[in-house]
Amino acid sequence: MKFSIGAKIWLSFVAILIVIVVIGSTAYQSINTLIEAAGWRSHTYQVRTALAVVLSNLKDAETGQRGYLITGEDRYLEPYRAALQQMDGVQAELKTLTADNPAQQQRITSLAPLVQAKMSELKETIDLRTGKGFEAARAVVLTDRGKNVMGQIRAIVREMDDAEAALLKTRDEGVQESSRASQLTILIGFLAAVIIVIAAGIFLTRNIGQPLREVTGIAEKISSGDLSVGLDPGNRSDEVGQLLRAFSRMGESLRGMAAVAEKIAAGDLRVEIVRQSERDALGIAFGKMITTLRDMNGELQGGIDVLSGSASEILAGTTQISTGAEETATSISETSSTVEEIKQTANVASQKSKTVSETAQRAAQVSQAGRKAVDEVADGMQRIYDQMAQVADSIVRLSEQTQQIGEIITTVNDLAEQSNLLAVNASIEAAKAGEQGKGFAVVAQEVKSLAEQSKQATVQVRGILGEVQKATSGAVLATEQGSKAVEVGLKQSNEAGEAIRQLADTIVENAQAAAQIAISAQQQLAGMDQLALAMDNIRTASSQNIASARQSEITAQGLHDLGQKLRGMLARFKL
Amino acid sequence: MTASTPKRIDWTAVRERMAAAEATLRETLEPSSQAHQQVLQQRARQMAQVPASDAAGETLEVLQFVLAHEHYALASRFVDEVYPLRELTQLPGAPRFVLGIVNVRGRIVSVIDIKRFFDLPERGVSDLNKVIILRDGSMEFGVLADVIEGVNLLRMSEIQPPLPTLTGIRAEYLHGVTAQRLIVLDAQKLIRDPAMVINETVES
């Protein structure tokens, strides 16, 4: 098999083409024959139709002639005239159609004079009928000249028709034979084509598909990274052979690249890349990769240094954070206990504020009662004031009566004085009377004594009256002071009423404020509860923070160790 | 209202006191028969007392009076009457001890102030609303007095002679002094004193 795959495929397709060409030409010939036969059949039918037309025209002319002869009416001549016009055309067509048939030409030649004779006979009769009347025309008809000619024409026409029919039959038989041969040829050609196609398919599958599948399997393996596949191209010089050889080279090249990659993986970045061609993407990429790796190595060195330093700082930082978190936890514990104490205090405050609110309510009621009491006090004060006025009036009247008593006392005193003088005078007169006047002297003495007593009594009464006057003055003064005190008291009670009213208002406000405070205290208590809860959460979070800080510390230590390890790893790269 | 507890007025006590006072007043104004009896019995006892007997010695009946807080006495023989001082008419040009003249039942009597007459110092305010009219024969004049104490009997033995150191006009008119510091004046000398007769001509 020294042919290339293209040649093999060409050969297969050419064999199939030859079979198709044989079948196609055979079918073409057969169809041409059939078309020709059909044309001849049509030609025969045209000839036969033309013959029928000739005969029909003659009959039409005869019919028109007869009608005219019988009636003499010109309108009966219309079929005759139409037939007369067509007759020459039909004969010429017939002659053209049968031009390839000498026998028919001969018959047409013999037919033409007969037709001419008939037509002239018809014209003669019509002219006679026109010119000489019916009888003359009838005489011509009765000669049977026209009838005979007509008989001859019919005989020739039938003869021509029969000849055409015989010709048609012969042609049909030829056509049938040729079409049968065509059918056979097409059938054989089809079978041959089927066999050739199957053979070519099997051959092409065996010769091209099998090696291609193998190559595909190898490509699959390479694509999955297996470069160990060995290939035997054999001595095939066709495209498959070339393909196998190309695959072999690709495998070698890839193995070389793999070896380079192996070296790079081992840390040897000194390898030189040999490019297979100008467009060796892998080679270029490897070259770039090595360059990039060298650069990256340098950058990594720097990065690791930074990382190492940062890890150390982070370690220190996390240690501090850990310490700080522990301190925070201690502080949070203290805060938490403080919050608990505050909560209890708030609880107490809430209860106290509730009590205060209730007390304020009671105080508001008490202040209302106080207000009423103060109003009553004001009324009482007013009454006291009025009664004080009455008392003052009574005392003044008493004082006036005392004065009257004083006047009476003065009168009595005067009387006593005069009585005294009278008694003295009586005594003197008694003394002058001598011994007879002694008894009178005693009476006078007694009168004097009475006068003295009266005087003393008046003195006493005067003293008592003075005291009474003093007492009434004191009482008036006291009443005045009392009145003033009551006035002041009235004013003060009004002020007190006002004050208590304001106090009541204030107390009501206080009660409201206390109620609000109680509510606030309640809210505060609720807030403290939430705060305590929050502090618990914070404490939990704080302990978690401590754990996290320790974890961070461990992690930072790990990071630090990682930095050291990376530094060690980077040292393995040979630049 | 106030801090100090007010003094509670015991109205029942007040009413009781008032009732008692009223009852006392009524009793005083209309004394019962028992009180009458008491008064009468007391008076009878006083009357029953025997006055000082004349046998004890010579007695002098005097009129006692008070002038400028000093107790004086005059023999009642020379006293005509006592009279309240009314409608005193001052006399211009009369001696200083003559206060003026009064009309006593149609008689014109001159009134003298014995304090000034004796040159006694003026001591405090005095009533000077009584006149003691002295008479001896045709001579008659009035002596001013504050209070007339009354007529009394004095034993002559009770009357002590005045102090020998007392000289001048006062010694002339002084009769004596009793143990009760009663100054007994010599009414007769006083009446008969020529100084009492004023007969002056006012030169115009």
Side-chain angles (χ1 to χ4, degrees), chain A residues 185-242:
Chain A
T185 310
I186 287 163
L187 193 66
I188 289 162
F190 181 71
L191 284 172
V194 167
I195 288 158
I196 287 164
V197 164
I198 289 166
I202 290 163
F203 170 73
L204 285 175
T205 309
R206 283 234 181 115
N207 204 265
I208 300 166
Q210 194 68 33
L212 276 178
R213 266 199 296 280
E214 286 173 13
V215 171
T216 307
I218 289 158
E220 284 286 344
K221 280 184 177 175
I222 289 168
S223 74
S224 67
D226 186 3
L227 298 178
S228 61
V229 281
L231 281 169
D232 182 19
N235 54 355
R236 281 180 69 148
S237 61
D238 61 354
E239 283 89 340
V240 173
Q242 286 170 5

Side-chain angles (χ1 to χ4, degrees), chain A residues 377 381 417-418 420-421 424-425 427-429 431-432 438 445-446 448 450 452, chain B residues 1 43 47 54 61 63 76 79-84 86 130 148-151:
Chain A
V377 163
M381 281 289 186
E417 194 79 18
Q418 286 175 19
N420 190 27
L421 285 182
V424 172
N425 285 335
S427 296
I428 293 161
E429 290 303 324
K432 281 176 187 168
K438 283 252 176 177
Q445 191 66 37
E446 197 58 35
K448 187 181 181 315
L450 284 175
E452 286 290 330
Chain B
M1 297 285 270
R43 196 173 292 170
M47 303 276 272
D54 297 334
E61 196 177 56
L63 176 74
S76 62
V79 176
D80 190 36
E81 62 177 314
V82 289
Y83 195 74
R86 280 191 203 118
K130 305 288 188 301
I148 305 296
E149 283 184 317
V151 178

Side-chain angles (χ1 to χ4, degrees), chain A residues 380-398 475-487:
Chain A
M381 281 289 186
Q382 189 61 49
R383 281 202 297 278
I384 288 169
Y385 188 68
D386 296 346
Q387 286 175 359
M388 284 300 251
Q390 285 179 9
V391 166
D393 196 39
S394 299
I395 286 167
V396 165
R397 262 185 304 179
L398 191 63
V476 165
L477 205 66
T479 312
E480 194 187 351
Q481 284 176 353
S483 186
K484 277 179 184 166
V486 166
E487 236 173 286

